[in-house]
């Protein structure tokens, strides 16, 4: 049950802090720098995946639209 609580705890001193705090009020550690490097790689992956998925879905939708247009115009 301790893992769920780590989101609101300082990674340096393990004291409970505000989830959106940029600086730990207990040990003065810069929390923004610690979380930014970790989340930026994840965000990069999500952006890449979303772009890839959007391209695939867009191609499929276009193919379906073209197919419907051609088969229904008779
Ligand atoms: Zn701290």
């Amino acid at each position: 049950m301790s893992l769920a609580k780590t989101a609101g705890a300082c990674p340096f001193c393990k004291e409970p802090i505000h989830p959106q705090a940029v600086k730990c009020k207990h040990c003065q550690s810069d929390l923004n720098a610690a979380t930014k490097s970790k989340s930026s790689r994840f965000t990069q992956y999500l952006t890449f995946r979303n772009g890839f998925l959007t391209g695939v879905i867009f191609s499929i939708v276009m193919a379906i639209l073209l197919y419907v247009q051609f088969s229904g115009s008779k």
Side-chain angles (χ1 to χ4, degrees):
M1 282 296 166
S2 59
L3 266 176
K5 284 282 179 186
T6 49
C10 173
F12 303 100
C13 66
K14 307 298 180 192
E15 289 288 333
I17 48 159
H18 194 275
Q20 291 176 335
V22 292
K23 203 169 193 177
C24 179
K25 64 179 178 180
H26 303 283
C27 66
Q28 312 301 315
S29 293
D30 192 358
L31 300 165
N32 203 25
T35 50
K36 207 179 177 184
S37 60
K38 190 198 270 183
S39 66
S40 72
R41 191 180 284 178
F42 185 66
T43 310
Q44 237 173 16
Y45 166 73
L46 275 185
T47 308
F48 169 76
R49 204 189 66 168
N50 279 352
F52 179 76
L53 278 178
T54 306
V56 169
I57 289 169
F58 183 74
S59 304
I60 292 171
V61 168
M62 283 306 287
I64 291 171
L65 279 177
L66 281 173
Y67 176 78
V68 167
Q69 208 165 32
F70 275 108
S71 61
S73 59
K74 283 180 185 174

